[in-house]
């Protein structure tokens, strides 16, 4: 697949998730659509959205509960696309939703692989290809980025780094939608800074492509080490997303 084909796959999936058209993400002006459930959306999304903002760089597509159209339209008209995903602008959005019992919650950047930049990396530890049966005893805090206990049925493939029989690093992917599998990676503290994350991620990326799926990678803005792993392995920033949710559904830290 070319990068253009990979990006088109992602645009189509984002259109399913948001309830819009793929070309809506390429407009110069903001696009607002009403969110609705869709069985083909990414499995972990809680649809319909109160408000979900997505940008592939050209504009912002807002998938919303129609009751908040005026509120969201005012926000998108006030700020350029790139500032809608950062403070201080986000404080304005958060303050506007707070009287309705809503707050800004998820903020993330998503990466897609560029085939021209992909390469395989090695590390000091042997790597093993893993499947769902191998994950049974691994739903532990140490592997919470690679695996998701709440959605075990989506964890379909992984690559482990082993020091003898001890697992020291794990990259795994979840079949979040029909055409795209999301990569997560964890490395134990004693095995870090040895290229393990890049070795695991690059190997898993190749295995996902070999199965006819598009890998994608997600991390928070400030997770610099995770973003560096993605970039090193040939992933490129593709889209940003911010989600508003009811206060009662936000866990207290």
């Amino acid at each position: 697949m070319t990068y253009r084909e990979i990006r088109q796959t992602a645009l189509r999936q984002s259109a399913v998730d948001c309830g819009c058209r793929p070309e809506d993400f390429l407009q110069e002006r903001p696009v607002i659509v009403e969110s609705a459930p869709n069985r083909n959306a990414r499995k972990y999304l809680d649809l319909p959205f109160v408000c979900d903002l997505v940008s592939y760089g050209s504009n912002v597509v807002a998938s919303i509960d129609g009751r908040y159209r005026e509120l969201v339209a005012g926000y998108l008209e006030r700020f350029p696309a790139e500032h809608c995903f950062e403070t201080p602008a986000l404080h304005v959005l958060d303050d506007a939703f707070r009287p309705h019992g809503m707050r800004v919650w998820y903020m993330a950047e998503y990466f897609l692989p560029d085939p021209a930049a992909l390469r395989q990396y090695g590390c000091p530890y042997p790597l093993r290809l893993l499947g769902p049966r191998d994950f049974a005893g691994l739903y532990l805090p140490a592997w919470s980025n690679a695996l998701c206990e709440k959605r075990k049925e989506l964890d379909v493939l992984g690559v482990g780094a082993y020091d003898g029989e001890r697992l020291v690093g794990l990259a795994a992917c979840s079949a979040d939608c029909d055409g795209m599998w999301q990569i997560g990676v964890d490395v134990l503290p004693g095995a870090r800074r040895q290229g393990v994350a890049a070795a695991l991620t690059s190997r898993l990326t190749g295995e996902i492509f070999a199965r006819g799926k598009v890998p994608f990678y997600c991390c928070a803005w400030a997770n610099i080490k995770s973003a560096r792993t993605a970039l090193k392995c040939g992933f490129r920033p593709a889209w940003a997303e911010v989600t508003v949710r009811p206060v009662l559904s936000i866990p207290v830290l």
Side-chain angles (χ1 to χ4, degrees), residues 125-126 128 143 160-169 188-191:
Y125 305 100
R128 301 180 194 172
W143 313 118
Y162 286 84
D163 182 4
E165 291 302 311
R166 179 172 174 257
L167 182 67
V168 297
L188 296 184

Side-chain angles (χ1 to χ4, degrees), residues 87-106:
T87 56
L90 278 178
H91 291 311
V92 174
L93 185 67
D94 194 60
D95 288 345
F97 269 108
R98 191 178 303 187
H100 303 281
M102 313 290 178
R103 301 294 300 273
V104 173
W105 188 3
Y106 289 125

Side-chain angles (χ1 to χ4, degrees), residues 1-243:
M1 298 179 73
T2 65
Y3 184 74
R4 185 177 184 278
E5 290 170 332
I6 289 169
R7 189 166 183 265
Q8 286 297 320
T9 298
L11 285 167
R12 288 193 295 269
Q13 184 59 50
S14 290
V16 169
D17 299 339
C18 292
C20 65
R21 306 171 303 165
E23 56 266 33
D24 287 336
F25 298 101
L26 308 179
Q27 305 301 313
E28 293 298 323
R29 297 281 301 162
V31 174
I32 300 177
V33 295
E34 292 204 20
S35 180
N38 191 318
R39 61 187 298 271
N40 295 317
R42 281 175 284 159
K43 306 301 183 191
Y44 58 88
L45 297 180
D46 187 11
L47 297 178
F49 292 122
V50 171
C51 174
D52 188 66
L53 307 182
V54 178
S55 179
Y56 275 78
S58 297
N59 70 339
V60 177
V61 171
S63 182
I64 65 163
D65 180 324
R67 292 175 292 178
Y68 306 109
R69 178 176 289 273
E70 185 175 345
L71 183 160
V72 175
Y75 180 72
L76 298 181
E77 289 293 334
R78 181 174 176 181
F79 299 103
E82 61 272 19
H83 295 310
C84 287
F85 295 82
E86 64 179 10
T87 56
L90 278 178
H91 291 311
V92 174
L93 185 67
D94 194 60
D95 288 345
F97 269 108
R98 191 178 303 187
H100 303 281
M102 313 290 178
R103 301 294 300 273
V104 173
W105 188 3
Y106 289 125
M107 301 167 59
E109 185 173 17
Y110 290 82
F111 299 77
L112 292 171
D114 179 356
L118 295 179
R119 58 172 296 187
Q120 293 291 312
Y121 289 93
C123 72
Y125 305 100
L127 305 183
R128 301 180 194 172
L129 193 63
L130 307 174
R133 291 185 179 181
D134 302 303
F135 301 150
L138 299 179
Y139 288 95
L140 305 168
W143 313 118
S144 60
N145 289 311
L147 301 171
C148 180
E149 187 169 14
K150 292 182 179 179
R151 295 181 294 274
K152 292 181 180 179
E153 70 281 0
L154 300 180
D155 294 329
V156 292
L157 188 67
V159 178
Y162 286 84
D163 182 4
E165 291 302 311
R166 179 172 174 257
L167 182 67
V168 297
L170 174 66
C173 58
S174 54
D176 291 334
C177 49
D178 289 342
M180 301 176 68
W181 291 359
Q182 181 172 192
I183 293 175
V185 60
D186 291 291
V187 179
L188 296 184
R192 293 173 186 168
R193 300 183 182 276
Q194 301 179 60
V196 177
L200 293 170
T201 301
S202 60
R203 171 71 183 278
L204 184 56
T205 297
E207 296 289 345
I208 294 171
F209 272 127
R211 287 157 178 78
K213 306 297 182 181
V214 171
F216 70 105
Y217 191 106
C218 172
C219 68
W221 306 149
N223 196 342
I224 303 302
K225 62 182 180 180
S226 184
R228 283 176 175 165
T229 295
L231 294 171
K232 182 177 180 179
C233 293
F235 284 75
R236 301 291 179 253
W239 79 94
E241 198 157 347
V242 164
T243 305

